[in-house]
Amino acid sequence: MSATVPAELFVLAGLPRTGTTSLFHILGRHPQFCQPYRKEVGYFLFNFDRGRRWLDRVYGHRLPGQLCLDVTPEYCLSGQALDRIVEHDPPVRVALGVRHASALAASLHRELRRRRDDVPDFDSWLDGYGYHRRGTEIRYELGRGALVRAIEDYRRRLGPRLLLYDYDLLLSDPVYVLRCIETFLGLSGHFTPDGFKNLFFNASNRSDSRPISRFLAEEPLIAVLERVMPRRLLLLMARCFYLAMSRGRRAAAGTAGISKTENSLDDEAVKISRVFGAGPVVLGTGDAVVPRSQVRRRLDLIGRF
């Protein structure tokens, strides 16, 4: 039986290259999550014009009490998306993954070059790059303080409705991050070390897939697939696609000179690291999701960022 009240959303708004694809598939296994047929619902950005009725249809299979999952990393650097998230009713809870600034920039540039033909050299890309999806510009700006400003905007405007996790912690102890997400959302404890099966997608050694990526990003095609194929089959196909691409050869990314970011993004890294003063998973207010005394191991984030 589907719920008749408005869908309550949990949004993974990025950052890109911080395990969002893996979390989409992992969190979808929690019985209190309603997982959509697509990872990037994009309602607060490139699908906003479709309206609330469209959003309700995306989660039309939701059961009473389930929390709806939207994993759209493009939200993170969009002020317009943040405005819409803040104004949405019922209130949206949001998570951001945070990664060392230069590693994030290098990985994102490599990934975009793997998927698109028009991505410029690294230094030019760092100052700003955009493309269009359903008539909406998706813009990436990581240099000149843009990354720090984006994170601080989310913290300032969402406060206790925002969770930030350290990407390195997700790699080394995913269950701990998942338990923090459960605590943040008030969900029952589903993920345990004994029963947990990790799903790691979007690895840096994925094959070049520009034609496939362009094909699968076409919204009219997604709409057709939604109408003719069961949701579970679409999810299985997406999972198989990511796994197959992750086993491919390392793409020739053309990212010579990325080491220059160590200097240009050093200030970004230091400022971002201060977010985690209370622990490796914190609220937008700076408070630890789980008190420091309960953290199984303490991480020296200032030294790593």
Side-chain angles (χ1 to χ4, degrees), residues 215-232:
F215 183 68
L216 294 178
E218 291 295 327
E219 292 295 324
L221 171 65
I222 294 173
V224 170
L225 292 177
E226 175 197 4
R227 287 195 296 268
V228 302
M229 299 182 69
R231 181 183 63 90
R232 290 184 181 275

Side-chain angles (χ1 to χ4, degrees), residues 178-194:
L178 291 166
R179 293 303 296 267
C180 286
I181 291 174
E182 290 173 335
T183 299
F184 171 64
L185 298 173
L187 303 180
S188 61
H190 176 76
F191 300 106
T192 64
D194 293 336

Side-chain angles (χ1 to χ4, degrees), residues 96-239:
L96 286 178
V98 181
R99 186 176 181 179
H100 189 291
S102 59
L104 169 66
S107 180
L108 181 55
H109 182 256
R110 186 163 52 239
E111 173 69 6
L112 288 172
R113 276 208 160 179
R114 188 189 62 79
R115 288 190 286 145
R116 303 186 62 84
D117 298 316
D118 61 345
V119 180
D121 65 88
F122 184 78
D123 289 335
S124 301
W125 171 83
L126 194 63
D127 287 333
Y129 163 77
Y131 61 90
H132 286 81
R133 187 167 178 178
R134 283 201 76 242
T136 298
E137 185 180 33
I138 310 298
R139 187 155 188 85
Y140 294 98
E141 292 183 22
L142 300 183
R144 302 178 183 178
L147 183 58
V148 172
R149 288 193 299 273
I151 293 173
E152 287 305 312
D153 283 347
Y154 268 83
R155 293 185 65 198
R156 175 176 55 83
R157 301 190 65 186
L158 290 171
R161 289 196 284 136
L162 175 68
L163 175 143
L164 301 104
Y165 65 86
D166 167 37
Y167 173 68
D168 286 339
L169 180 65
L170 180 65
L171 295 180
S172 63
D173 193 354
V175 173
Y176 177 70
V177 175
L178 291 166
R179 293 303 296 267
C180 286
I181 291 174
E182 290 173 335
T183 299
F184 171 64
L185 298 173
L187 303 180
S188 61
H190 176 76
F191 300 106
T192 64
D194 293 336
F196 176 69
K197 181 180 180 182
N198 202 357
L199 296 170
F200 189 67
F201 303 107
N202 272 359
S204 61
N205 65 335
R206 289 177 65 194
S207 300
D208 187 295
S209 62
R210 295 176 191 180
I212 297 175
S213 296
R214 285 195 297 268
F215 183 68
L216 294 178
E218 291 295 327
E219 292 295 324
L221 171 65
I222 294 173
V224 170
L225 292 177
E226 175 197 4
R227 287 195 296 268
V228 302
M229 299 182 69
R231 181 183 63 90
R232 290 184 181 275
L233 180 58
L234 289 173
L235 286 168
L236 178 62
M237 290 172 59
R239 189 172 301 170

Side-chain angles (χ1 to χ4, degrees), residues 224-281:
V224 170
L225 292 177
E226 175 197 4
R227 287 195 296 268
V228 302
M229 299 182 69
R231 181 183 63 90
R232 290 184 181 275
L233 180 58
L234 289 173
L235 286 168
L236 178 62
M237 290 172 59
R239 189 172 301 170
C240 291
F241 167 74
Y242 283 118
L243 284 173
M245 296 307 298
S246 296
R247 295 183 182 125
R249 63 177 177 82
R250 183 177 297 275
T255 51
I258 274 185
S259 59
K260 295 177 182 178
T261 64
E262 294 298 334
N263 292 325
S264 64
L265 294 176
D266 267 354
D267 289 342
E268 311 282 295
V270 171
K271 292 175 182 176
I272 291 170
S273 72
R274 294 170 183 159
V275 169
F276 294 102
V281 185

Side-chain angles (χ1 to χ4, degrees), residues 18-76:
T18 59
T20 55
T21 300
S22 296
L23 285 172
F24 170 74
H25 290 281
I26 293 169
L27 291 174
R29 294 179 168 182
H30 194 297
Q32 288 177 270
F33 270 117
C34 174
Q35 185 182 32
Y37 63 91
R38 56 189 292 171
K39 172 194 169 191
E40 298 172 358
V41 173
Y43 172 72
F44 295 107
L45 192 57
F46 49 83
N47 279 322
F48 191 72
D49 63 303
R50 290 178 163 175
R52 290 293 292 264
R53 287 188 178 181
W54 177 85
L55 184 66
D56 290 339
R57 286 199 300 272
V58 170
Y59 300 105
H61 58 290
R62 178 174 67 102
L63 299 176
Q66 282 189 323
L67 191 62
C68 298
L69 183 63
D70 177 1
V71 181
T72 306
E74 291 93 337
Y75 290 157
C76 65

